[in-house]
Every structure is written in C-alpha cells, then in structure tokens.
Amino acid sequence: MTYSNTARTAPLDRRAAVLGIVEGRRDLLAVASLGSPTYDLAAAGDHERNFYLWGAMGGAATFGLGLALAQPEVPVLVLLGDGECLMGLGALATIAVQRPSNLSIVVLDNGLYGETGAQRSHTSGGLTKLDQVARACGISETMCVETEAQVRELAERVNHRGAGPLVAVVRINGEEQPRCLPSRDGVALKTRMRHALGLESM
Amino acid sequence: MTAATESEKLEKAHLSWPGEIYNVLRNLEVTIAAYVPDGGHAELIQRLHDDPAVTAVPLTTEEEGVALVSGAWMGGKRGVLLMQSSGVGNCVNMLSLVKICRFPLLTLVTMRGEWGEFNPWQVPMGSATQEALEIMDVKVFRTSVPSDVAPTVEAAGQMAFLGGTPAAVLLSQRLIGAKVFAK
C-alpha cells in the first residue's frame, strides 16, 4: 500500500537547509539529536561549538534548555528530527514555562523515521503539526519553514536572542542523504564544547 | 551581633531536613533545580522557587531533567534533579547520556512503595528504584534519619560534582512519613 506523503514533495533539502541555518554562525552553540540531524550538522562543518547526540532520544530539547539557561547570553540552537521531537513533546511545555530568549528549537520534519527504514511518523501527511503543538504549549514564536527565503530568515533569527524561545518546523523532503559521521566520543565532544566556553573538562 | 547569632541558632535548631537540603545545595553552588513534584519534596521545591539565584524548572517527565541538568553542566552550571521513586524508571535510557559523556548527576529521590505504603501501585517501582539506578551506574545513598539527610546530600553532591560519579540520594518513606489518605 502506498501512502501519500506530502513530505516527499516538500521543496527543501535537509543538508542545504541546515547549512543555510548555521553557515553564518558566530558564537552559536548547536546541539543535534541522534540520527540524521547529527549527520546534517556535521556535514555543514564540524565545529567546537557543536554537540552531537548519538542516543538519549527525546532528550535533545531539554539538554538544549539546560545549556541555554546556563549560558543566557549565548544563542543555542537544537536541531531535532520529527521523531525525536515527538518522543519528547513534553519538553516544549517545559521550555514554554522557562521562556529562554536564547533558545531555538528547529525541527527537521520529513514525517519519517529515516534511521530505521523510513517508517511514517505522526507528522506524516501533516497530521501532527509540531509548530501548532509548540504554540499550544505556550511558545509564542513559531515558524513553519518551506522556502529558501524562510531558511535565511530562520538563520538570522537563531543567531540572536528573541523575546522568548523559538520553535521552527522546517519541512524537508524525505530524500536519503549520504551519512556524515562525526565523533561518537561523548566525553570528547563534551570537553570540546566546555573548552570553547572557557570551562574546564570537569 | 549576639542577637543575630541567637536568632541564627534558633533558626538552625528549627530547620527542617528539607531546609537543610536547600542549604547544602546552595553551598554546593547548585543554581538549576529540575523537578517533577512530590509531596516529600514540597518544602524544598518552594524554597528553591523562592530563591532568585536558583532557576527552578518543573518538568513534564523525569528524564527531561536528566538531559536538562546535563545541558546545564555543559554550560557551566550545577543542577539537581528532584523526583519521586516512580520517576526513576522513566530515566533509565536517558542515564546513557550521563554515563557515556560523564556528566555529573545529583538526584534526590523521595521514596514511595516501602514504609507503610497504602497504595499498592507504588510498590513495584519503589522496590526497584535502587536497582534501576545501579544498573546505569549511578551511586546510590539512602537516608532514613533527619539528622543524616544533610551530610548524605553533601557527600553525594561532592561525589557528583567533584568526584565525577553520578549520585542519587534516596530519601526513605520512613523519613518522609507514609502518605495518609483521608476519606
């Protein structure tokens, strides 16, 4: 049986979108959830201010919240897949309560669990609308990104503090990309970002 | 100032064990407190909310807190995670983050499902709380006596933040008092 899947016809390429979001970065701290968002962030260029999750599914957004609360002057970007966001939906409510003005949650939404055989996720066909979920959780600034111009707008926004947190859903196509594997050494990645922030390893 | 000293002594004499935990946490320079509410933590949660130097973060589920305090530590702030024993089961996979990246974790767990428990639904997870932490290599301390609470939290905090060892303090149901269900 063939399912209709609007994500397959979405115009944006995930790699181009993520590159567009981070290429003009200044002091931005970037966290990526496991699977494709981690490969996308690495493909855009490894950076000492990148932290890649290879597990801990559902925890990327609140990890980013903790980072944003600890570094309130530094913009923090969290790249999530739609499956990751769905597993930690409550995080959107937790973030809404804290209202960190330096935190941007960017969901790369293709409606698919790309890492496990492209099974349809709950956002497939536009069923669960994560930007609307975020709004209903109390996050007042949300974006639905479907064009390159909107990617540029998003890139500008994530490098600055806003009035509160941002949740942006980037509609990407389901095309599979070659894997780009950054380091899987959690301690090394942690220490690298801490050093970039002028902090000791422990 | 004799008067101030006297009033401080008086305050200390009347300080509850949750109040003592609060002081220990502040001495440990904890400034991020993530929690899922529990009756046993109510006073501590209130004290943390009342402190403008502390960011108190209500969670929708406990594993959010494991990730949150890890992120906070990445950014240079010490955090604590407060939860009830039932929440420990929710944290198991997220503790991978703590283990694989060696993030310091300090969690204070109020116990249900043991001393005088009225609600049988609390018993399975309450009985497995310690083991659930230990299978993920979290060092577990348990305390049942009010005078023992502050030193235990201090010891656990030192292991977490200085000793690089994830640590949990189980605050026993005997300490907190079995929950009373009045009709």
Side-chain angles (χ1 to χ4, degrees):
Chain A
M1 184 172 176
T2 309
Y3 293 95
S4 68
N5 186 343
T6 53
R8 290 198 192 284
T9 58
L12 291 173
D13 170 84
R14 61 184 311 145
R15 289 281 159 89
V18 171
L19 179 63
I21 293 165
V22 300
E23 66 183 344
R25 67 195 291 174
R26 292 180 289 272
D27 55 348
L28 185 73
L29 296 165
V31 176
S33 70
L34 79 167
S36 297
T38 271
Y39 314 147
D40 296 336
L41 183 60
D46 192 25
H47 195 286
E48 61 180 359
R49 286 176 176 248
N50 285 356
F51 186 66
Y52 312 104
L53 292 164
W54 284 87
M57 188 163 173
T62 40
F63 184 90
L65 173 61
L67 186 56
L69 292 174
Q71 291 282 334
E73 304 302 322
V74 181
V76 175
L77 165 69
V78 182
L79 291 173
L80 304 179
D82 45 280
E84 162 80 25
C85 188
L86 286 162
M87 190 173 281
L89 271 186
L92 298 174
T94 296
I95 290 165
V97 173
Q98 297 302 318
R99 300 195 307 132
S101 62
N102 59 331
L103 178 62
S104 298
I105 304 290
V106 173
V107 186
L108 302 166
D109 185 3
N110 59 6
L112 299 170
Y113 290 95
E115 196 63 14
T116 53
Q119 298 87 354
R120 299 198 324 160
S121 86
H122 309 58
T123 67
S124 182
L127 184 62
T128 298
K129 298 171 182 67
L130 292 170
D131 56 320
Q132 292 185 27
V133 172
R135 285 193 88 81
C137 284
I139 291 173
S140 53
E141 188 182 0
T142 61
M143 290 171 74
C144 196
V145 175
E146 294 182 316
T147 67
E148 285 170 25
Q150 289 169 327
V151 170
R152 286 192 292 275
E153 194 186 322
L154 175 60
E156 182 63 19
R157 171 63 182 83
V158 302
N159 278 290
H160 294 92
R161 290 170 59 181
L166 166 75
V167 172
V169 176
V170 180
R171 305 274 291 154
I172 54 168
N173 62 50
E175 201 174 309
E176 224 177 313
Q177 301 282 348
R179 287 199 173 134
C180 177
L181 308 182
S183 170
R184 297 187 294 282
D185 183 339
V187 173
L189 292 167
K190 174 194 73 170
T191 302
R192 180 174 76 160
M193 184 179 272
R194 290 210 12 128
H195 284 168
L197 290 167
L199 300 164
E200 290 178 9
S201 62
M202 77 175 271
Chain B
M1 295 285 195
T2 316
T5 314
E6 284 306 312
S7 87
E8 274 170 21
K9 268 186 199 165
L10 198 67
E11 195 184 325
K12 199 166 184 184
H14 289 278
L15 199 57
S16 58
W17 60 262
E20 290 182 344
I21 293 178
Y22 167 80
N23 286 344
V24 170
L25 292 176
R26 298 299 284 118
N27 289 338
L28 286 165
E29 296 174 4
V30 168
T31 57
I32 306 268
Y35 68 88
V36 172
D38 181 56
H41 277 315
E43 182 185 335
L44 177 58
I45 290 168
Q46 189 59 52
R47 284 176 181 268
L48 292 162
H49 267 289
D50 289 345
D51 185 342
V54 174
T55 304
V57 185
L59 309 166
T60 70
T61 178
E62 294 81 0
E63 67 262 42
E64 285 178 5
V66 175
L68 185 127
V69 297
S70 297
W73 191 81
M74 178 80 105
K77 293 275 166 65
R78 289 179 177 181
V80 67
L81 171 57
L82 312 179
M83 61 180 149
Q84 186 195 89
S85 48
S86 49
V88 170
N90 294 345
C91 293
V92 174
N93 180 53
M94 203 58 71
L95 289 169
S96 309
L97 177 66
V98 168
K99 183 171 177 174
I100 213 69
C101 299
R102 278 197 256 129
F103 283 113
L105 175 74
L106 175 63
T107 182
L108 310 182
V109 180
T110 45
M111 292 302 297
R112 290 288 307 272
E114 44 177 41
W115 185 264
E117 179 60 63
F118 164 90
N119 180 355
W121 295 56
Q122 288 282 356
V123 177
M125 193 63 232
S127 305
T129 299
Q130 179 158 354
E131 284 171 89
L133 290 161
E134 286 173 346
I135 56 171
M136 296 306 282
D137 285 346
V138 178
K139 181 85 178 161
V140 178
F141 300 83
R142 170 181 269 274
T143 176
S144 298
V145 181
S147 61
D148 191 41
V149 171
T152 306
V153 173
E154 189 170 11
Q158 284 192 15
M159 283 196 77
F161 299 122
L162 304 178
T165 304
V169 177
L170 308 187
L171 301 160
S172 83
Q173 195 162 358
R174 189 172 189 183
L175 171 77
I176 298 158
K179 187 166 180 172
V180 179
F181 285 83
K183 274 195 179 175

